[in-house]
Amino acid sequence: MPEADTFPIIPREALFGNPTRAQGKISPDGKWLSWLAPYEGVLNIWLAPADDPASARAMTKATARPIRQHFWPGDAKSLLYVQDKDGDENFLLYRIDLETGEETTLTPFEHTRVQIVGASETIKDRILVGLNHRDPQFHDVYRLDLNTGDLTLVYENHSFAGFMADDTLTLRMAMRQNEAGGTDYFRFDDGRVEDEPFETTAMEDSLTTTPAGYTTDGSVLYWLDSRGRNTAALYAQDTATGARTLVAQDDKADIGGTIRDQETGKVQAYSVEYLTTEWTAIDPAIRAALEWLGDRLEGEFGISSRTDDDRTWIVWNDPLTAPVRTFIFDRDAETLEEFYVSRPELEGAPLRPMHPLEIASRDGLTLPSYLTLPPGSDGTHSGRPDSPLPTVLLVHGGPWARDSFGFDAVHQMLANRGYAVLSVNFRGSTGFGKDFINAGNKQWGLKMHDDLIDAVEWAIDQGIAERDKVAIMGGSYGGYATLAGLAFTPDVFACGVDIVGPSNLETLLSTIPPYWAPMVKIFHERMGNPDTEEGLALLRAASPLHKAESIAKPLLIAQGANDPRVKQAESDQIVGAMKQAGIPVTYVLYPDEGHGFARPENSIAFFALAENFLAQCLGGRAEPLGDVLEPSTTQIVEGEEHVKGLASVPG
């Protein structure tokens, strides 16, 4: 690949290390700016006066696991964040007092996962939270005083999967799966759940229909709803009469996000994401603001934070072939002040555009997909390489999720190393209507896998991919797809990289987190019910573990030891089966991670292994391993000899 070799290698650390800054926000009163940035090498929360951003100070001192999510309460007297322990996903809620800097654990319970049930525009010092410390399956609802830490029980829950409150922090709705695998929605009456649901969905609508919040006065309940149609439309329901009004719809994709009026809660704009995201404004002032921003920002952009008076926005901008930038937008002055660049080390790097496209499946479905090509490979700028390339099929997780358009660090690394990178929204992916999702029901390892094979054949037919140099890679469901690809279709792929992928669907379903139990029917109806003979046979047939002896190509497996969704046993099982069959495999374990990588040291180390593994398999280039493993907790359990240069690396 002489063309790619003439372009500089983008260092792994620039793509997977700590950002310089991230998650910028403005306080509701407009007085403060906050963001995440490294403090002694670990992402922490920083704070600065809005009129003096240079006088920033670190508000937290996390030393091991990065803080990845923070937010402002309505009264702007504190900062809030959630954190788990080594990837166990038992997130607790923490508060930092702005005046004193004192940190408090607001939910000081072991083996507990906090949920935010409700927040308010008018009651700014309290929120509703769900806590499952009494029963790990069910979240009880508490009113939390953010300044005193007092927790008051609002509702003890013994059967419901979720709740919704209005702006008075009064519970208005409870949700529970029904026998059909859909959802029943129940009203509250004077603190008690009514016996009969006021709305219900069948299984076919369960992933495309959901309540989307009340207006501030509680008179309107918004719904994203696919009942009686294919794509999810936005409806406004009069809570007094039950009458519904269609607000927005799209034939190709579900309605996605909304912008709401800060005071009234009414929808001002909505988004639709098919291949790319498009915003449509209902409110004239919001339309003017979005158009003003669109004239000045290239690529994708969106609002990440707003002041209560809605005059100042924090706006992110993804230029696609340059690092993501964040701006402070003064709507009255019509000024756009740069807040920060997330990864300034990527300035001038040979970042590649992502090409949105459509691929036809063998049975006539349209698969929205994304292709990134190596630098120097597309002399005509047509989105097709001058000659076929080694290719990586990068499969998203979920599977009830989707790939999207925009900057993607893995796409950029792989393209920079000389590979075409293809991501496919296979059937079962979300965002494209219920018919597309439901076409994937009970099709793990079957038609869902056929879609991936069809995408590979398309790439070969289009002159994009070399037939004997296609790798498959992904996390979670994408890891499962990798295992399935090598076990079920061993002649298609040259090698595979599996990150926290399940190998045995039977044991996967028997070890789900307890708080998923109220939603277990979604797995039974969409994967197979292990309590029935037919369902159990389906799950076993779709499990790569039972065809491990068919794996004939190199395989790299990464697993977090504390993963609550895909337990370590999922990787241990297939590694053991491959060893027993005498099949080589490389297995790396991370004792302080869960369902993916949170610590950048581990992320950098893993992608170092992955790129050198792919270089050995596909012939692309790779940044040498060096001492990349030393700062990480990487444990090479099996097969160091199958990764280029690993046997000679310390650590």
Side-chain angles (χ1 to χ4, degrees):
M1 293 167 291
E3 298 91 346
D5 286 347
T6 63
F7 290 84
I9 280 208
I10 301 175
R12 289 181 296 263
E13 188 166 357
L15 291 165
F16 302 108
N18 280 321
T20 299
R21 293 188 185 185
Q23 208 179 106
K25 297 180 184 291
I26 190 166
S27 62
D29 58 12
K31 294 180 180 179
W32 301 95
L33 297 171
S34 64
W35 61 89
L36 302 180
Y39 176 81
E40 296 185 356
V42 179
L43 279 187
N44 277 278
I45 303 172
W46 291 70
L47 179 75
D51 58 3
D52 187 16
S55 61
R57 57 192 169 111
M59 298 297 288
T60 57
K61 304 288 171 60
T63 57
R65 196 163 181 83
I67 294 173
R68 293 182 290 168
Q69 184 181 4
H70 84 290
F71 44 99
W72 284 93
D75 66 2
K77 292 182 179 179
S78 62
L79 281 161
L80 306 177
Y81 74 93
V82 294
Q83 181 68 292
D84 70 346
K85 295 177 181 177
D86 291 338
D88 65 2
E89 298 189 14
N90 285 322
F91 290 97
L92 298 182
L93 180 63
Y94 300 85
R95 176 189 188 271
I96 307 105
D97 188 277
L98 252 61
E99 188 173 331
T100 67
E102 181 183 359
E103 182 167 322
T104 307
T105 307
L106 293 173
T107 56
F109 307 105
E110 291 294 320
H111 310 297
T112 299
R113 178 184 173 95
V114 67
Q115 294 178 345
I116 306 299
V117 174
S120 170
E121 292 295 327
T122 54
I123 305 173
K124 297 180 180 293
D125 60 347
R126 290 172 173 80
I127 60 174
L128 295 181
V129 296
L131 296 172
N132 64 336
H133 61 304
R134 179 188 57 82
D135 183 335
Q137 288 193 48
F138 299 108
H139 283 75
D140 299 330
V141 181
Y142 288 81
R143 182 179 293 106
L144 171 62
D145 186 313
L146 292 169
N147 296 316
T148 68
D150 290 343
L151 282 164
T152 304
L153 181 65
V154 174
Y155 185 81
E156 187 172 297
N157 175 30
H158 295 275
S159 67
F160 295 101
F163 300 90
M164 185 168 286
D166 62 19
D167 197 68
T168 67
L169 298 182
T170 301
L171 288 177
R172 296 281 295 268
M173 189 190 309
M175 303 153 227
R176 181 169 61 202
Q177 275 202 327
N178 54 42
E179 288 301 316
T183 306
D184 290 337
Y185 300 92
F186 299 83
R187 288 192 181 97
F188 273 84
D189 181 12
D190 195 26
R192 176 184 165 278
V193 179
E194 294 181 349
D195 293 333
E196 297 298 322
F198 77 101
E199 295 280 359
T200 188
T201 68
M203 189 276 291
E204 66 176 7
D205 294 294
S206 60
L207 291 178
T208 43
T209 298
T210 185
Y214 295 91
T215 52
T216 305
D217 63 8
S219 66
V220 172
L221 170 63
Y222 287 108
W223 287 86
L224 295 172
D225 202 330
S226 65
R227 288 174 292 182
R229 51 181 297 126
N230 176 29
T231 56
L234 178 64
Y235 290 90
Q237 183 177 42
D238 187 306
T239 55
T241 67
R244 289 155 50 97
T245 303
L246 177 65
V247 178
Q249 61 181 332
D250 186 84
D251 290 338
K252 281 192 167 184
D254 301 327
I255 301 299
T258 60
I259 298 173
R260 310 282 179 100
D261 187 283
Q262 298 281 78
E263 291 187 8
T264 67
K266 292 182 178 178
V267 170
Q268 297 174 302
Y270 61 89
S271 67
V272 173
E273 183 184 10
Y274 180 60
L275 289 174
T276 60
T277 299
E278 295 183 5
W279 282 93
T280 300
I282 300 169
D283 178 86
I286 295 294
R287 181 185 305 115
L290 294 178
E291 289 176 351
W292 190 92
L293 290 168
D295 288 341
R296 289 159 178 80
L297 300 175
E298 291 194 14
E300 304 276 284
F301 69 88
I303 307 165
S304 54
S305 184
R306 304 155 79 187
T307 53
D308 275 346
D309 64 10
D310 207 26
R311 305 322 301 163
T312 306
W313 294 356
I314 304 299
V315 177
W316 60 266
N317 174 220
D318 178 3
L320 306 176
T321 54
V324 173
R325 284 175 150 72
T326 297
F327 297 89
I328 302 169
F329 174 37
D330 185 321
R331 293 181 63 193
D332 293 327
E334 290 195 326
T335 57
L336 201 59
E337 177 188 351
E338 187 170 290
F339 189 177
Y340 58 81
V341 179
S342 284
R343 296 182 180 275
E345 58 271 39
L346 291 177
E347 297 274 19
L351 299 175
R352 303 295 298 145
M354 177 180 276
H355 301 283
L357 47 89
E358 296 176 330
I359 298 173
S361 72
R362 68 188 68 179
D363 57 354
L365 292 185
T366 299
L367 311 176
S369 304
Y370 302 96
L371 175 67
T372 305
L373 297 174
S377 67
D378 177 12
T380 62
H381 305 288
S382 62
R384 299 290 185 272
D386 302 332
S387 58
L389 297 165
T391 298
V392 178
L393 179 68
L394 186 63
V395 186
H396 71 69
W400 307 297
R402 63 162 294 165
D403 280 310
S404 293
F405 182 69
F407 177 85
D408 184 292
V410 182
H411 266 251
Q412 292 295 344
M413 184 194 79
L414 294 173
N416 181 257
R417 299 331 189 229
Y419 309 119
V421 191
L422 181 61
S423 290
V424 180
N425 284 304
F426 47 86
R427 71 191 68 203
S429 302
T430 55
F432 308 102
K434 69 184 182 188
D435 293 347
F436 195 74
I437 293 176
N438 292 326
N441 291 346
K442 298 179 179 175
Q443 294 299 316
W444 285 51
L446 299 169
K447 290 183 179 179
M448 292 166 75
H449 187 63
D450 289 346
D451 289 346
L452 300 177
I453 302 303
D454 291 348
V456 171
E457 290 300 321
W458 173 88
I460 293 168
D461 291 344
Q462 292 285 316
I464 295 167
E466 291 185 64
R467 181 171 290 281
D468 60 347
K469 287 192 175 182
V470 179
I472 183 169
M473 175 178 180
S476 193
Y477 178 86
Y480 162 82
T482 297
L483 298 176
L486 296 192
F488 301 160
T489 48
D491 296 330
V492 174
F493 298 104
C495 55
V497 180
D498 154 35
I499 308 164
V500 298
S503 65
N504 183 343
L505 302 188
E506 187 181 354
T507 54
L508 173 72
L509 292 184
S510 69
T511 58
I512 61 171
Y515 44 83
W516 282 10
M519 304 173 288
V520 72
K521 288 187 181 68
I522 191 174
F523 300 102
H524 291 175
E525 295 299 325
R526 296 185 184 275
M527 294 174 63
N529 187 344
D531 299 328
T532 68
E533 185 176 343
E534 178 187 8
L536 186 58
L538 193 65
L539 293 170
R540 287 178 174 170
S543 295
L545 175 66
H546 301 309
K547 294 187 179 176
E549 72 282 355
S550 298
I551 297 175
K553 303 294 175 58
L555 174 61
L556 169 63
I557 295 177
Q559 177 69 48
N562 306 308
D563 192 335
R565 310 185 203 185
V566 179
K567 299 289 196 296
Q568 182 182 331
E570 293 299 318
S571 292
D572 289 350
Q573 288 179 84
I574 197 160
V575 170
M578 292 177 68
K579 284 180 64 180
Q580 189 171 1
I583 302 168
V585 60
T586 302
Y587 181 25
V588 294
L589 183 67
Y590 292 86
D592 56 350
E593 296 287 9
H595 198 62
F597 306 108
R599 295 187 62 225
E601 298 89 346
N602 291 337
S603 187
I604 292 168
F606 170 72
F607 282 105
L609 295 173
E611 67 164 310
N612 280 275
F613 172 83
L614 291 170
Q616 191 156 311
C617 166
L618 298 181
R621 59 186 189 160
E623 185 181 356
L625 287 170
D627 59 358
V628 71
L629 299 189
E630 290 185 10
S632 78
T633 60
T634 306
Q635 296 177 359
I636 311 296
V637 182
E638 293 288 341
E640 68 176 16
E641 67 272 20
H642 306 304
V643 177
K644 181 180 177 182
L646 181 56
S648 60
V649 169

